Each structure stands twice: as C-alpha cells, then as structure tokens.
C-alpha cells in the first residue's frame, strides 16, 4: 500500500510551523507467521480503507512527533536523516500490528509564513557573498602577484639606477678632487704674485710716507717760527695795550661799584624811613578807626534800634540816587498815556517816589525793623 502522509502547521523545536508531506510503502508481511497472526488479530473484520487509515494515522503521529523534536533547518537541509528517523520509529510501532514499512521518503517541506523562502534567500545571499569574497580574494591574489612582480622589476630598475648614480658620483668626486688640486695650485700661484705685488706696493708706500714725514717736519718747523714771530708781534701790538686797558677798566669798575653801593645804601635808607613813616600813619589811622568803631558799637548797644534807623536813613538818599540814576543818562523819553492821571515829568517823579515808598517794606522784610514806627517813636520822644 502507498500512503501519503501529510502533516500541516506542525510546530518544530524552535516554534516555527511548517508543512511536511511524505510517501510511505507498507504491507502486511504474510511470510512471517507471528506478524501474520498479529495482523489478523489487529485488523480482522476491517476493510482495506480502515487498515490504510490506521497505518496512515500511526505514521503521521510519528512524523509529527519527530518534526517537533527537530528544527526547520535540520528537516529542510537533511531530509534523509528525517526520513530515516521516521522510518525507524514508525517501523518499530507498526511491526507489532503485523505491518512492515517498506520505505518512507519526504516529498515536500513548506510553510505558510515564507520562512523557508527566507532561508533560501539567506543561503542565496551567502552563496553570492562567498562568490564575491572568492572573486575578491582571487583578484587580491592576482594584484599581490602583480605587485610582487612590479616590485621585483622596480627593484631591479632602482638597483641599476643606484649603480649608475654611484658611478656618476665617483666620477664627479674624482673630477672635483682634480679641480681642487688645479684650483689650489692656481690659487697659490695667484697668491704668491699678489703677495709680491703687495710687498712691492708697501715698500713704495713706506718710502712715500718717509718723504711726506720729512716735508711735514719742515713745514712744522716753519710754522713754529711763524708762530713765535706772530706772538712777539701780538705781544707788542695787542697784549700790552690790552693789559693796560684792562687795568684801567678794573680801576674804573671798582670806583663805579663803590659809588653804586653808596647810592643803593642811601636809597634803601630812604625807603626804610618812608616805610616806617607810612606804617606809623597807618597804625595811627587804624587805632582811630578802631576807637570810632568801638564807640559806635557802644552806642549801638545802648541805642540798637535807633542806630539801625539812623543807618537806614543815611542810606536812603543813596538808594534814591541809584533809582533815579538811569534817568539822568536817558537822552529821550517817550511816554504813552491813556488820558487818565498825570503825564509828563509829574508821572516820572511819581513813579520814582513810589519806588522809594516801597523801601520801608523791603527793609522790614530783610531786617525786621519798621522804619515808619521808629520815626514816629522818635518824634514822640522829642
């Protein structure tokens, strides 16, 4: 009998639900007496459909149990192991029913969530990645080999360049050494000539200097003689008359100094006497003023208010003069009148008198003295 074993939405070991479909070949083993007896006892009176159903349910139960103990990856990647495990477990159970399992294989593994598709994409990505890695490694190896070959080539080239540079340097060093020897010999020859030329010039210069020294000595001797002559001439013509004039001026200055000193002493004495006289006069005047002020103070103590009134009355004419003073400086006065009251000079005089009449009030506000009352009291006392 061929049985199709379907297990749908079975959760595997990690909880992923998958679908597994398997094909099993089973039969009743008639050649084995014990198995035949077990089959007769188990299926006696049952139809073929019922026997297939029992066998199918038994296989499906074992298939589901094994799916729950394995991961999706194990089932998907190693179907032979899964089939072998189902085959062994199911065979040991069905053989007791007199049925033997001839074969069992998985025909399909799927899921409803796309888990296996994701595994496929992951595997595909992994393969692509491995391919790219392999390609990159191959490219890297090729580049490394190419770089090594280029390095060997460049080393050879640099080695040749270094050898050429060494040879060129040695040539330049030797040529420089030869040039140094030649230049040294030339410099020595030029130096010897220059030294000889300088020595000759130095000798000529020394001889010229000797000649100049002799000439200069002679000129100095002549100048000294000329100086002595001029000194004697100055002695006779200028120095002696100058000394005589100096002596005369000194004597004259002494006489003038004595005269100035005497005159200054006389002026100082006069100034001192005049100052003493002025000081005495000032002192006498100050004493007189002090005595007058003292007497005024005594009088004010005794007649305080009367004295104040007397002073105010003395000042009033001056105040009136100051008020009328600007009128005396006025050249022209233009007066405008409404026709009522005085006009002309009478108007001006009245305004001046009005200002004077305000003075008692001003004095009273400033000093506290009532001039009008003081005058009345003075008249009563008389």
């Amino acid at each position: 009998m061929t049985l199709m074993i379907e297990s749908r939405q079975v959760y595997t070991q990690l909880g992923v639900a998958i679908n597994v479909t398997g094909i099993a070949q089973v039969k009743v083993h008639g050649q084995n007496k014990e198995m035949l007896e077990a089959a007769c006892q188990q299926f006696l009176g049952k139809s073929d459909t019922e026997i297939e159903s029992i066998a199918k349910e038994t296989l499906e139960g074992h298939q589901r149990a094994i799916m729950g103990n394995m991961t999706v990856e194990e089932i998907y990647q190693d179907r032979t192991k899964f089939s072998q495990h189902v085959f062994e477990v199911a065979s040991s159970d069905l053989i007791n029913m007199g049925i033997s399992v001839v074969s069992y294989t998985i025909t399909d593994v799927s899921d409803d969530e796309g888990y296996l598709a994701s595994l496929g994409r992951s595997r595909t990505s992994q393969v692509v990645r491995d391919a790219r890695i392999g390609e990159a490694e191959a490219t890297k190896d090729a580049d490394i080999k190419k770089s090594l070959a280029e390095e060997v080539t460049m080393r050879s080239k640099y080695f040749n360049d270094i050898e050429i540079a060494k040879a060129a340097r040695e040539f330049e060093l030797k040529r420089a050494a030869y040039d140094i020897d030649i230049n040294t010999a030339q410099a020595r020859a030029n130096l010897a000539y220059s030294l000889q030329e300088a020595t000759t010039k130095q000798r000529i210069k020394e001889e010229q200097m000797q000649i100049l020294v002799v000439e200069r000595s002679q000129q100095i001797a002549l100048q000294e003689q000329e100086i002595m002559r001029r000194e004697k001439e100055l002695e006779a013509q200028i120095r002696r008359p100058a000394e005589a004039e100096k002596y005369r001026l000194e004597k004259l200055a002494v006489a003038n100094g004595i005269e100035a000193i005497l005159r200054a002493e006389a002026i100082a004495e006069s100034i001192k006497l005049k100052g003493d006289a002025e000081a005495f006069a000032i002192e006498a005047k100050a004493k007189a003023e002090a005595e007058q002020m003292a007497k005024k103070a005594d009088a004010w103590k005794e007649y305080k208010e009367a004295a104040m009134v007397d002073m105010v009355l003395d000042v009033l004419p001056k105040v009136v003069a100051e008020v009328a003073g600007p009128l005396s400086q006025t050249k022209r006065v233009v007066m405008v009148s409404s026709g009522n009251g005085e006009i002309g000079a009478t108007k001006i005089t009245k305004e001046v008198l009005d200002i004077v009449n305000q003075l008692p009030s001003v004095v009273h506000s400033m000093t506290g003295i009532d001039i009008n009352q003081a005058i009345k009291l003075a008249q009563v006392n008389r």
Side-chain angles (χ1 to χ4, degrees):
M1 292 183 295
T2 301
L3 303 177
M4 181 177 291
I5 313 300
E6 291 183 350
S7 299
R8 300 193 60 81
Q9 293 297 306
V10 179
Y11 289 95
T12 59
Q13 186 178 14
L14 298 179
V16 180
I18 61 173
N19 308 317
V20 174
T21 301
I23 299 296
Q25 300 291 335
V26 298
K27 69 176 182 177
V28 177
H29 209 294
Q31 295 178 357
N32 190 329
K33 184 178 180 181
E34 293 179 356
M35 292 182 63
L36 183 58
E37 291 178 354
C40 291
Q41 292 176 1
Q42 189 72 26
F43 303 115
L44 185 64
K46 291 184 172 57
S47 63
D48 294 340
T49 302
E50 292 176 340
I51 295 172
E52 289 180 2
S53 177
I54 292 171
K56 183 177 180 180
E57 290 177 356
T58 303
L59 284 169
E60 185 182 0
H62 289 299
Q63 180 174 280
R64 294 175 70 92
I66 293 171
M67 287 172 63
N69 291 325
M70 296 180 68
T71 63
V72 177
E73 288 79 3
E74 290 175 345
I75 297 170
Y76 183 76
Q77 295 174 0
D78 195 355
R79 297 188 180 189
T80 302
K81 178 182 178 182
F82 177 76
S83 299
Q84 184 67 30
H85 199 23
V86 173
F87 176 80
E88 291 175 355
V89 174
S91 294
S92 63
D93 195 11
L94 289 174
I95 200 169
N96 294 325
M97 299 179 185
I99 298 174
S100 64
V101 180
V102 179
S103 65
Y104 172 82
T105 57
I106 296 175
T107 59
D108 183 54
V109 178
S110 64
D111 71 291
D112 297 338
E113 303 295 333
Y115 185 82
L116 293 174
S118 298
L119 287 177
R121 284 194 298 270
S122 175
R123 179 57 182 167
T124 302
S125 300
Q126 185 177 1
V127 171
V128 172
R129 183 197 63 189
D130 294 341
R132 289 179 179 176
I133 292 172
E135 183 179 359
E137 289 179 350
T139 303
K140 180 185 71 175
D141 293 339
D143 292 340
I144 291 172
K145 290 180 181 179
K146 182 180 178 180
S147 299
L148 291 174
E150 291 177 353
E151 182 181 358
V152 172
T153 303
M154 294 302 293
R155 282 182 179 178
S156 301
K157 181 178 180 300
Y158 291 153
F159 179 77
N160 293 332
D161 293 342
I162 291 170
E163 293 298 325
I164 293 171
K166 286 181 179 179
R169 186 188 65 178
E170 292 178 358
F171 170 75
E172 293 294 335
L173 289 174
K174 289 181 179 179
R175 185 170 68 178
Y178 295 151
D179 291 341
I180 290 172
D181 293 338
I182 295 170
N183 293 332
T184 302
Q186 185 66 36
R188 286 177 180 174
N190 295 334
L191 181 60
Y193 174 77
S194 299
L195 288 173
Q196 185 62 37
E197 183 180 8
T199 302
T200 304
K201 289 182 178 179
Q202 183 66 27
R203 289 177 182 176
I204 295 171
K205 191 70 174 177
E206 289 177 355
E207 292 177 357
Q208 292 176 348
M209 291 299 295
Q210 290 294 330
I211 294 170
L212 292 174
V213 168
V214 173
E215 292 178 352
R216 187 62 177 166
S217 299
Q218 292 176 356
Q219 291 176 359
I220 291 171
L222 292 174
Q223 290 176 357
E224 289 178 352
Q225 293 176 3
E226 181 66 18
I227 290 169
M228 292 175 65
R229 187 187 68 80
R230 292 292 296 170
E231 285 181 353
K232 289 179 180 180
E233 184 177 354
L234 291 172
E235 180 74 22
Q237 295 180 359
I238 297 174
R239 186 176 298 169
R240 288 180 182 177
E243 289 179 353
E245 182 66 17
K246 177 183 177 183
Y247 178 77
R248 187 184 70 81
L249 293 174
E250 288 177 352
K251 293 300 182 180
L252 183 61
V254 170
N256 291 334
I258 293 171
E259 183 181 359
I261 291 170
L262 293 174
R263 186 180 292 116
E265 289 178 352
I267 292 171
E269 186 66 22
S270 176
I271 292 171
K272 180 179 179 183
L273 293 174
K274 185 178 180 180
D276 292 340
E278 290 178 353
F280 180 78
I282 292 170
E283 182 180 0
K285 183 179 179 181
K287 287 180 178 180
E289 290 178 352
E291 290 176 358
Q292 184 180 2
M293 292 298 292
K295 290 178 180 179
K296 284 184 178 181
D298 294 337
W300 285 352
K301 289 179 182 178
E302 186 174 356
Y303 307 104
K304 181 176 181 182
E305 187 171 356
M308 292 291 290
V309 171
D310 182 58
M311 289 180 66
V312 171
L313 293 175
D314 289 339
V315 173
L316 282 178
K318 296 180 181 179
V319 174
V320 174
E322 292 295 329
V323 171
L327 293 174
S328 65
Q329 303 296 327
T330 303
K331 294 181 179 180
R332 182 181 179 187
V333 178
V334 178
M335 301 188 69
V336 179
S337 177
S338 62
N340 296 323
E342 296 88 352
I343 60 173
T346 305
K347 177 72 172 177
I348 296 173
T349 305
K350 185 177 183 301
E351 290 181 354
V352 173
L353 291 175
D354 288 340
I355 294 172
V356 174
N357 288 331
Q358 293 176 6
L359 289 176
S361 299
V362 174
V363 172
H364 184 268
S365 64
M366 293 177 64
T367 63
I369 298 172
D370 190 346
I371 296 175
N372 295 327
Q373 185 67 28
I375 292 171
K376 291 178 181 179
L377 290 176
Q379 292 175 353
V380 172
N381 292 330
R382 287 180 184 177

